[in-house]
Amino acid sequence: MPLDTIDNAIIPGSLYGISEEPTYSGVLSFMRRKYTKDLREADVAVSGVPLDLMVTHRSGTRFGPAAIRKASAHLAWAPPWPWPFDPFERLAVIDYGDCLFDPGRPETITEAIADHARRIVAADVFMLTLGGDHYVTYPLLKAHAETFGTLSLVHFDAHSDTWEEEEKRVDHGTMFYHALKEGLVDPATSIQIGIRTTNDSTHGVKISQAPEVMHSSAKETAQAIKATVGNTPVYLTFDIDCLDPAYAPGTGTPVPGGLTSLKALEILRNLAGLYYVGMDLVEVCPAYDVSDITALAGATIAAEMLCLLAVHREPVS
């Protein structure tokens, strides 16, 4: 094997194509993509936000981006199944590394994350973000709404994260309440999938609770999502605790009765064609994981998201 097939994350070369280096070695970028801060030739920047200061139960999601990158090496040797194409022949994807913020100054974290996103969005590069607790989506929504206007939220989760509070706190269970109040998200074109915790108000957002989703076909759920968002700019956020703890035990707030991995992946595969402007995968907490199955589920879902972006693009010759 030539020496230059190792550590494709750091050696010079094309941003396209699949890496063939061993799954158990090398620099662990997401899907073996090149680590770089150079956005000039990139279509998509995968970026981590290793934050867990806003959790209401178990901490540890600060290690989520690293765990997802590690698990993704197991997937990087071939195109994601069952898509009939290689997304990396159609998209120039980089690993932009992690967002820097000062945990000792929590009042600065929201803007630090938003500024991180603004740099990428301003370069006309699509963001796929790896969390971190779910609060990270709030500053990401702020940055994206500045460019794309009011957004439609497609939100996979066990929790609505729209619990009301009188004061604006930093909390991964209230941030979408504030996003709705501030006009970052349009409730009429937003939908939450997999919800199975109590909240007295929907705030006008369409809710597809977990039993309904599990008893419907993936195509039916996807059709409901598409009918809700139409052709509006969509931000897709997937909290790994949308999955049942049997499939994703490594998360901070697990709730029994969730989606299977198969159901979630089938729904995503039926969501091609929406006007996506940003995506994230959050709440992987490796300290509570078993045999890395949660991190692997997260990496697989993130890879599916890339396929949703690539499905209507032509291969680069």
Side-chain angles (χ1 to χ4, degrees):
M1 180 179 293
L3 291 177
D4 62 1
T5 62
I6 296 294
D7 290 334
N8 283 278
I10 57 174
I11 62 173
S14 173
L15 298 182
Y16 295 95
I18 288 177
S19 169
E20 296 181 356
E21 63 188 285
T23 60
Y24 47 81
S25 67
V27 176
L28 295 174
S29 62
F30 180 73
M31 297 291 285
R32 301 290 195 190
R33 308 327 298 168
K34 185 178 180 181
Y35 258 122
T36 179
K37 299 295 186 184
D38 187 351
L39 295 166
R40 290 174 295 178
E41 298 181 5
D43 297 315
V44 180
V46 180
S47 179
V49 183
L51 177 71
D52 63 2
L53 299 180
M54 286 64 175
V55 297
T56 55
H57 190 36
R58 305 190 299 199
S59 62
T61 53
R62 67 181 61 186
F63 301 108
I68 295 167
R69 287 183 173 107
K70 179 181 177 182
S72 76
H74 176 64
L75 307 173
W77 62 275
W81 182 91
W83 297 91
F85 60 84
D86 174 6
F88 302 118
E89 291 181 352
R90 303 183 177 199
L91 295 170
V93 182
I94 64 170
D95 191 321
Y96 192 72
D98 286 347
C99 173
L100 178 64
F101 54 85
D102 184 351
R105 300 182 62 193
E107 73 280 3
T108 68
I109 291 176
T110 300
E111 278 304 298
I113 299 171
D115 284 343
H116 174 81
R118 288 180 183 118
R119 287 193 294 273
I120 297 172
V121 174
D124 195 26
V125 175
F126 190 96
M127 284 192 75
L128 170 56
T129 304
L130 311 176
D133 71 55
H134 212 160
Y135 180 81
V136 307
T137 305
Y138 172 68
L140 294 171
L141 288 172
K142 288 183 63 175
H144 284 79
E146 289 169 5
T147 295
F148 300 102
T150 303
L151 306 169
S152 298
L153 189 69
V154 175
H155 174 201
F156 289 79
D157 206 323
H159 314 84
S160 67
D161 296 339
T162 56
W163 282 278
E164 299 181 20
E165 56 185 2
E166 293 182 3
E167 297 182 4
K168 188 174 180 179
R169 300 165 54 253
V170 284
D171 187 326
H172 73 162
T174 61
M175 71 284 177
F176 292 146
Y177 168 69
H178 295 293
L180 289 162
K181 281 188 65 177
E182 295 169 22
L184 305 177
V185 170
D186 182 357
T189 59
S190 296
I191 183 168
Q192 298 177 317
I193 304 100
I195 305 300
R196 54 192 186 277
T197 46
T198 302
N199 189 341
D200 293 335
S201 177
T202 67
H203 299 282
V205 177
K206 181 178 175 60
I207 307 292
S208 293
Q209 296 183 347
E212 173 190 352
V213 176
M214 288 303 297
H215 291 125
S216 301
S217 71
K219 287 185 177 180
E220 288 171 334
T221 300
Q223 287 170 353
I225 294 170
K226 289 181 174 181
T228 300
V229 304
N231 60 358
T232 60
V234 173
Y235 190 97
L236 172 61
T237 180
F238 197 110
D239 186 325
I240 203 67
D241 71 26
C242 182
L243 303 183
D244 189 88
Y247 301 89
T251 190
T253 50
V255 182
L259 276 59
T260 66
S261 299
L262 176 61
K263 177 68 78 171
L265 290 169
E266 286 185 331
I267 294 169
L268 286 172
R269 288 166 189 155
N270 281 278
L271 289 180
L274 299 182
Y275 174 29
Y276 295 110
V277 298
M279 298 176 174
D280 65 49
L281 183 287
V282 299
E283 294 283 356
V284 171
C285 189
Y288 296 96
D289 208 357
V290 178
S291 300
D292 296 333
I293 62 173
T294 311
L296 181 58
T300 303
I301 290 166
E304 293 290 322
M305 291 177 174
L306 290 177
C307 291
L308 290 177
L309 297 178
V311 65
H312 295 302
R313 295 178 66 117
E314 293 296 322
V316 175
S317 57

PDB file of all heavy atoms in Angstrom, residues 281-311:
ATOM      1  N   LEU A 281     -26.318  17.233  13.797  1.00  0.00           N
ATOM      2  CA  LEU A 281     -26.544  15.973  14.513  1.00  0.00           C
ATOM      3  C   LEU A 281     -25.964  16.183  15.911  1.00  0.00           C
ATOM      4  O   LEU A 281     -24.770  16.457  16.050  1.00  0.00           O
ATOM      5  CB  LEU A 281     -25.859  14.827  13.776  1.00  0.00           C
ATOM      6  CG  LEU A 281     -25.989  13.380  14.251  1.00  0.00           C
ATOM      7  CD1 LEU A 281     -25.193  13.095  15.520  1.00  0.00           C
ATOM      8  CD2 LEU A 281     -27.459  13.009  14.492  1.00  0.00           C
ATOM      9  N   VAL A 282     -26.805  16.067  16.938  1.00  0.00           N
ATOM     10  CA  VAL A 282     -26.392  16.478  18.284  1.00  0.00           C
ATOM     11  C   VAL A 282     -26.707  15.409  19.332  1.00  0.00           C
ATOM     12  O   VAL A 282     -27.412  14.437  19.070  1.00  0.00           O
ATOM     13  CB  VAL A 282     -27.080  17.802  18.683  1.00  0.00           C
ATOM     14  CG1 VAL A 282     -26.705  18.925  17.732  1.00  0.00           C
ATOM     15  CG2 VAL A 282     -28.605  17.639  18.729  1.00  0.00           C
ATOM     16  N   GLU A 283     -26.153  15.658  20.528  1.00  0.00           N
ATOM     17  CA  GLU A 283     -26.453  14.933  21.770  1.00  0.00           C
ATOM     18  C   GLU A 283     -25.864  13.529  21.856  1.00  0.00           C
ATOM     19  O   GLU A 283     -26.314  12.724  22.677  1.00  0.00           O
ATOM     20  CB  GLU A 283     -27.964  14.902  22.028  1.00  0.00           C
ATOM     21  CG  GLU A 283     -28.581  16.269  22.305  1.00  0.00           C
ATOM     22  CD  GLU A 283     -28.331  16.812  23.710  1.00  0.00           C
ATOM     23  OE1 GLU A 283     -27.730  16.082  24.533  1.00  0.00           O
ATOM     24  OE2 GLU A 283     -28.739  17.962  23.984  1.00  0.00           O
ATOM     25  N   VAL A 284     -24.852  13.206  21.062  1.00  0.00           N
ATOM     26  CA  VAL A 284     -24.117  11.954  21.274  1.00  0.00           C
ATOM     27  C   VAL A 284     -23.234  12.123  22.505  1.00  0.00           C
ATOM     28  O   VAL A 284     -22.446  13.067  22.594  1.00  0.00           O
ATOM     29  CB  VAL A 284     -23.266  11.588  20.050  1.00  0.00           C
ATOM     30  CG1 VAL A 284     -22.338  10.415  20.363  1.00  0.00           C
ATOM     31  CG2 VAL A 284     -24.161  11.254  18.864  1.00  0.00           C
ATOM     32  N   CYS A 285     -23.376  11.213  23.449  1.00  0.00           N
ATOM     33  CA  CYS A 285     -22.674  11.295  24.741  1.00  0.00           C
ATOM     34  C   CYS A 285     -21.912   9.987  24.957  1.00  0.00           C
ATOM     35  O   CYS A 285     -22.450   9.030  25.515  1.00  0.00           O
ATOM     36  CB  CYS A 285     -23.693  11.531  25.844  1.00  0.00           C
ATOM     37  SG  CYS A 285     -22.989  11.918  27.449  1.00  0.00           S
ATOM     38  N   PRO A 286     -20.652   9.911  24.505  1.00  0.00           N
ATOM     39  CA  PRO A 286     -19.948   8.627  24.462  1.00  0.00           C
ATOM     40  C   PRO A 286     -19.711   7.968  25.817  1.00  0.00           C
ATOM     41  O   PRO A 286     -19.547   6.751  25.883  1.00  0.00           O
ATOM     42  CB  PRO A 286     -18.624   8.969  23.766  1.00  0.00           C
ATOM     43  CG  PRO A 286     -18.489  10.442  23.851  1.00  0.00           C
ATOM     44  CD  PRO A 286     -19.870  10.995  23.886  1.00  0.00           C
ATOM     45  N   ALA A 287     -19.720   8.723  26.910  1.00  0.00           N
ATOM     46  CA  ALA A 287     -19.489   8.119  28.225  1.00  0.00           C
ATOM     47  C   ALA A 287     -20.580   7.114  28.583  1.00  0.00           C
ATOM     48  O   ALA A 287     -20.350   6.202  29.382  1.00  0.00           O
ATOM     49  CB  ALA A 287     -19.406   9.208  29.286  1.00  0.00           C
ATOM     50  N   TYR A 288     -21.766   7.266  28.003  1.00  0.00           N
ATOM     51  CA  TYR A 288     -22.878   6.366  28.286  1.00  0.00           C
ATOM     52  C   TYR A 288     -23.161   5.418  27.132  1.00  0.00           C
ATOM     53  O   TYR A 288     -24.174   4.717  27.129  1.00  0.00           O
ATOM     54  CB  TYR A 288     -24.136   7.185  28.605  1.00  0.00           C
ATOM     55  CG  TYR A 288     -23.978   8.007  29.860  1.00  0.00           C
ATOM     56  CD1 TYR A 288     -23.586   9.341  29.786  1.00  0.00           C
ATOM     57  CD2 TYR A 288     -24.178   7.446  31.117  1.00  0.00           C
ATOM     58  CE1 TYR A 288     -23.413  10.094  30.938  1.00  0.00           C
ATOM     59  CE2 TYR A 288     -24.009   8.193  32.275  1.00  0.00           C
ATOM     60  CZ  TYR A 288     -23.623   9.516  32.176  1.00  0.00           C
ATOM     61  OH  TYR A 288     -23.449  10.251  33.317  1.00  0.00           O
ATOM     62  N   ASP A 289     -22.269   5.394  26.151  1.00  0.00           N
ATOM     63  CA  ASP A 289     -22.476   4.556  24.976  1.00  0.00           C
ATOM     64  C   ASP A 289     -22.090   3.112  25.268  1.00  0.00           C
ATOM     65  O   ASP A 289     -21.381   2.820  26.236  1.00  0.00           O
ATOM     66  CB  ASP A 289     -21.658   5.097  23.802  1.00  0.00           C
ATOM     67  CG  ASP A 289     -22.280   4.780  22.456  1.00  0.00           C
ATOM     68  OD1 ASP A 289     -23.322   4.098  22.431  1.00  0.00           O
ATOM     69  OD2 ASP A 289     -21.737   5.228  21.437  1.00  0.00           O
ATOM     70  N   VAL A 290     -22.544   2.209  24.417  1.00  0.00           N
ATOM     71  CA  VAL A 290     -22.221   0.789  24.503  1.00  0.00           C
ATOM     72  C   VAL A 290     -21.650   0.363  23.162  1.00  0.00           C
ATOM     73  O   VAL A 290     -22.330   0.449  22.128  1.00  0.00           O
ATOM     74  CB  VAL A 290     -23.479  -0.053  24.839  1.00  0.00           C
ATOM     75  CG1 VAL A 290     -23.122  -1.538  24.865  1.00  0.00           C
ATOM     76  CG2 VAL A 290     -24.094   0.391  26.149  1.00  0.00           C
ATOM     77  N   SER A 291     -20.400  -0.040  23.136  1.00  0.00           N
ATOM     78  CA  SER A 291     -19.740  -0.498  21.912  1.00  0.00           C
ATOM     79  C   SER A 291     -19.836   0.517  20.776  1.00  0.00           C
ATOM     80  O   SER A 291     -19.883   0.143  19.604  1.00  0.00           O
ATOM     81  CB  SER A 291     -20.329  -1.851  21.453  1.00  0.00           C
ATOM     82  OG  SER A 291     -20.155  -2.830  22.451  1.00  0.00           O
ATOM     83  N   ASP A 292     -19.900   1.798  21.122  1.00  0.00           N
ATOM     84  CA  ASP A 292     -19.922   2.896  20.148  1.00  0.00           C
ATOM     85  C   ASP A 292     -21.152   2.874  19.248  1.00  0.00           C
ATOM     86  O   ASP A 292     -21.155   3.499  18.176  1.00  0.00           O
ATOM     87  CB  ASP A 292     -18.662   2.870  19.260  1.00  0.00           C
ATOM     88  CG  ASP A 292     -17.387   3.096  20.051  1.00  0.00           C
ATOM     89  OD1 ASP A 292     -17.455   3.760  21.110  1.00  0.00           O
ATOM     90  OD2 ASP A 292     -16.329   2.622  19.609  1.00  0.00           O
ATOM     91  N   ILE A 293     -22.246   2.216  19.657  1.00  0.00           N
ATOM     92  CA  ILE A 293     -23.386   2.108  18.748  1.00  0.00           C
ATOM     93  C   ILE A 293     -24.089   3.463  18.557  1.00  0.00           C
ATOM     94  O   ILE A 293     -24.628   3.729  17.481  1.00  0.00           O
ATOM     95  CB  ILE A 293     -24.394   1.038  19.191  1.00  0.00           C
ATOM     96  CG1 ILE A 293     -25.005   1.346  20.561  1.00  0.00           C
ATOM     97  CG2 ILE A 293     -23.758  -0.328  19.194  1.00  0.00           C
ATOM     98  CD1 ILE A 293     -26.130   0.383  20.942  1.00  0.00           C
ATOM     99  N   THR A 294     -24.076   4.313  19.582  1.00  0.00           N
ATOM    100  CA  THR A 294     -24.703   5.631  19.439  1.00  0.00           C
ATOM    101  C   THR A 294     -23.880   6.515  18.521  1.00  0.00           C
ATOM    102  O   THR A 294     -24.420   7.205  17.645  1.00  0.00           O
ATOM    103  CB  THR A 294     -24.871   6.298  20.810  1.00  0.00           C
ATOM    104  OG1 THR A 294     -25.481   5.378  21.722  1.00  0.00           O
ATOM    105  CG2 THR A 294     -25.706   7.556  20.702  1.00  0.00           C
ATOM    106  N   ALA A 295     -22.568   6.501  18.719  1.00  0.00           N
ATOM    107  CA  ALA A 295     -21.688   7.282  17.847  1.00  0.00           C
ATOM    108  C   ALA A 295     -21.789   6.803  16.409  1.00  0.00           C
ATOM    109  O   ALA A 295     -21.788   7.613  15.472  1.00  0.00           O
ATOM    110  CB  ALA A 295     -20.242   7.185  18.342  1.00  0.00           C
ATOM    111  N   LEU A 296     -21.894   5.487  16.219  1.00  0.00           N
ATOM    112  CA  LEU A 296     -22.037   4.947  14.867  1.00  0.00           C
ATOM    113  C   LEU A 296     -23.370   5.358  14.254  1.00  0.00           C
ATOM    114  O   LEU A 296     -23.442   5.719  13.071  1.00  0.00           O
ATOM    115  CB  LEU A 296     -21.915   3.427  14.895  1.00  0.00           C
ATOM    116  CG  LEU A 296     -22.023   2.715  13.539  1.00  0.00           C
ATOM    117  CD1 LEU A 296     -20.963   3.210  12.569  1.00  0.00           C
ATOM    118  CD2 LEU A 296     -21.910   1.197  13.728  1.00  0.00           C
ATOM    119  N   ALA A 297     -24.438   5.340  15.054  1.00  0.00           N
ATOM    120  CA  ALA A 297     -25.733   5.808  14.561  1.00  0.00           C
ATOM    121  C   ALA A 297     -25.645   7.275  14.164  1.00  0.00           C
ATOM    122  O   ALA A 297     -26.153   7.686  13.116  1.00  0.00           O
ATOM    123  CB  ALA A 297     -26.814   5.608  15.623  1.00  0.00           C
ATOM    124  N   GLY A 298     -24.978   8.075  14.993  1.00  0.00           N
ATOM    125  CA  GLY A 298     -24.819   9.490  14.679  1.00  0.00           C
ATOM    126  C   GLY A 298     -24.028   9.712  13.409  1.00  0.00           C
ATOM    127  O   GLY A 298     -24.399  10.539  12.563  1.00  0.00           O
ATOM    128  N   ALA A 299     -22.926   8.987  13.258  1.00  0.00           N
ATOM    129  CA  ALA A 299     -22.111   9.120  12.053  1.00  0.00           C
ATOM    130  C   ALA A 299     -22.884   8.685  10.812  1.00  0.00           C
ATOM    131  O   ALA A 299     -22.767   9.308   9.743  1.00  0.00           O
ATOM    132  CB  ALA A 299     -20.835   8.292  12.195  1.00  0.00           C
ATOM    133  N   THR A 300     -23.681   7.642  10.939  1.00  0.00           N
ATOM    134  CA  THR A 300     -24.468   7.152   9.808  1.00  0.00           C
ATOM    135  C   THR A 300     -25.529   8.158   9.405  1.00  0.00           C
ATOM    136  O   THR A 300     -25.727   8.428   8.209  1.00  0.00           O
ATOM    137  CB  THR A 300     -25.123   5.806  10.166  1.00  0.00           C
ATOM    138  OG1 THR A 300     -24.106   4.868  10.554  1.00  0.00           O
ATOM    139  CG2 THR A 300     -25.896   5.250   8.986  1.00  0.00           C
ATOM    140  N   ILE A 301     -26.196   8.749  10.394  1.00  0.00           N
ATOM    141  CA  ILE A 301     -27.210   9.763  10.095  1.00  0.00           C
ATOM    142  C   ILE A 301     -26.562  10.976   9.449  1.00  0.00           C
ATOM    143  O   ILE A 301     -27.093  11.546   8.477  1.00  0.00           O
ATOM    144  CB  ILE A 301     -27.967  10.143  11.382  1.00  0.00           C
ATOM    145  CG1 ILE A 301     -28.846   8.972  11.816  1.00  0.00           C
ATOM    146  CG2 ILE A 301     -28.793  11.410  11.180  1.00  0.00           C
ATOM    147  CD1 ILE A 301     -29.381   9.093  13.226  1.00  0.00           C
ATOM    148  N   ALA A 302     -25.402  11.402   9.948  1.00  0.00           N
ATOM    149  CA  ALA A 302     -24.707  12.542   9.345  1.00  0.00           C
ATOM    150  C   ALA A 302     -24.305  12.245   7.902  1.00  0.00           C
ATOM    151  O   ALA A 302     -24.398  13.112   7.023  1.00  0.00           O
ATOM    152  CB  ALA A 302     -23.482  12.906  10.178  1.00  0.00           C
ATOM    153  N   ALA A 303     -23.867  11.009   7.628  1.00  0.00           N
ATOM    154  CA  ALA A 303     -23.530  10.628   6.258  1.00  0.00           C
ATOM    155  C   ALA A 303     -24.773  10.638   5.368  1.00  0.00           C
ATOM    156  O   ALA A 303     -24.710  11.033   4.195  1.00  0.00           O
ATOM    157  CB  ALA A 303     -22.879   9.240   6.244  1.00  0.00           C
ATOM    158  N   GLU A 304     -25.924  10.225   5.922  1.00  0.00           N
ATOM    159  CA  GLU A 304     -27.182  10.294   5.168  1.00  0.00           C
ATOM    160  C   GLU A 304     -27.516  11.737   4.811  1.00  0.00           C
ATOM    161  O   GLU A 304     -28.029  12.019   3.723  1.00  0.00           O
ATOM    162  CB  GLU A 304     -28.320   9.696   5.994  1.00  0.00           C
ATOM    163  CG  GLU A 304     -28.214   8.215   6.250  1.00  0.00           C
ATOM    164  CD  GLU A 304     -28.434   7.376   4.999  1.00  0.00           C
ATOM    165  OE1 GLU A 304     -29.307   7.742   4.185  1.00  0.00           O
ATOM    166  OE2 GLU A 304     -27.740   6.373   4.838  1.00  0.00           O
ATOM    167  N   MET A 305     -27.245  12.635   5.728  1.00  0.00           N
ATOM    168  CA  MET A 305     -27.499  14.048   5.457  1.00  0.00           C
ATOM    169  C   MET A 305     -26.688  14.538   4.260  1.00  0.00           C
ATOM    170  O   MET A 305     -27.180  15.291   3.419  1.00  0.00           O
ATOM    171  CB  MET A 305     -27.182  14.879   6.699  1.00  0.00           C
ATOM    172  CG  MET A 305     -28.147  14.672   7.852  1.00  0.00           C
ATOM    173  SD  MET A 305     -27.645  15.620   9.313  1.00  0.00           S
ATOM    174  CE  MET A 305     -29.039  15.321  10.408  1.00  0.00           C
ATOM    175  N   LEU A 306     -25.435  14.104   4.172  1.00  0.00           N
ATOM    176  CA  LEU A 306     -24.620  14.469   3.010  1.00  0.00           C
ATOM    177  C   LEU A 306     -25.232  13.924   1.727  1.00  0.00           C
ATOM    178  O   LEU A 306     -25.206  14.590   0.682  1.00  0.00           O
ATOM    179  CB  LEU A 306     -23.199  13.949   3.179  1.00  0.00           C
ATOM    180  CG  LEU A 306     -22.343  14.627   4.246  1.00  0.00           C
ATOM    181  CD1 LEU A 306     -20.988  13.948   4.355  1.00  0.00           C
ATOM    182  CD2 LEU A 306     -22.164  16.112   3.939  1.00  0.00           C
ATOM    183  N   CYS A 307     -25.790  12.730   1.794  1.00  0.00           N
ATOM    184  CA  CYS A 307     -26.419  12.155   0.602  1.00  0.00           C
ATOM    185  C   CYS A 307     -27.645  12.964   0.190  1.00  0.00           C
ATOM    186  O   CYS A 307     -27.914  13.124  -1.007  1.00  0.00           O
ATOM    187  CB  CYS A 307     -26.801  10.698   0.852  1.00  0.00           C
ATOM    188  SG  CYS A 307     -25.372   9.590   0.995  1.00  0.00           S
ATOM    189  N   LEU A 308     -28.387  13.501   1.160  1.00  0.00           N
ATOM    190  CA  LEU A 308     -29.530  14.351   0.832  1.00  0.00           C
ATOM    191  C   LEU A 308     -29.085  15.596   0.076  1.00  0.00           C
ATOM    192  O   LEU A 308     -29.796  16.098  -0.797  1.00  0.00           O
ATOM    193  CB  LEU A 308     -30.266  14.765   2.105  1.00  0.00           C
ATOM    194  CG  LEU A 308     -31.036  13.673   2.845  1.00  0.00           C
ATOM    195  CD1 LEU A 308     -31.646  14.239   4.114  1.00  0.00           C
ATOM    196  CD2 LEU A 308     -32.111  13.072   1.958  1.00  0.00           C
ATOM    197  N   LEU A 309     -27.900  16.094   0.405  1.00  0.00           N
ATOM    198  CA  LEU A 309     -27.369  17.267  -0.290  1.00  0.00           C
ATOM    199  C   LEU A 309     -26.859  16.912  -1.684  1.00  0.00           C
ATOM    200  O   LEU A 309     -26.890  17.744  -2.589  1.00  0.00           O
ATOM    201  CB  LEU A 309     -26.219  17.882   0.518  1.00  0.00           C
ATOM    202  CG  LEU A 309     -26.558  18.429   1.902  1.00  0.00           C
ATOM    203  CD1 LEU A 309     -25.296  18.941   2.577  1.00  0.00           C
ATOM    204  CD2 LEU A 309     -27.604  19.530   1.806  1.00  0.00           C
ATOM    205  N   ALA A 310     -26.373  15.694  -1.835  1.00  0.00           N
ATOM    206  CA  ALA A 310     -25.703  15.301  -3.081  1.00  0.00           C
ATOM    207  C   ALA A 310     -26.638  14.696  -4.119  1.00  0.00           C
ATOM    208  O   ALA A 310     -26.276  14.618  -5.299  1.00  0.00           O
ATOM    209  CB  ALA A 310     -24.589  14.299  -2.776  1.00  0.00           C
ATOM    210  N   VAL A 311     -27.841  14.289  -3.719  1.00  0.00           N
ATOM    211  CA  VAL A 311     -28.673  13.450  -4.576  1.00  0.00           C
ATOM    212  C   VAL A 311     -29.004  14.103  -5.918  1.00  0.00           C
ATOM    213  O   VAL A 311     -29.078  13.412  -6.952  1.00  0.00           O
ATOM    214  CB  VAL A 311     -29.963  13.036  -3.821  1.00  0.00           C
ATOM    215  CG1 VAL A 311     -30.844  14.218  -3.522  1.00  0.00           C
ATOM    216  CG2 VAL A 311     -30.715  11.959  -4.579  1.00  0.00           C
TER     217      VAL A 311
END
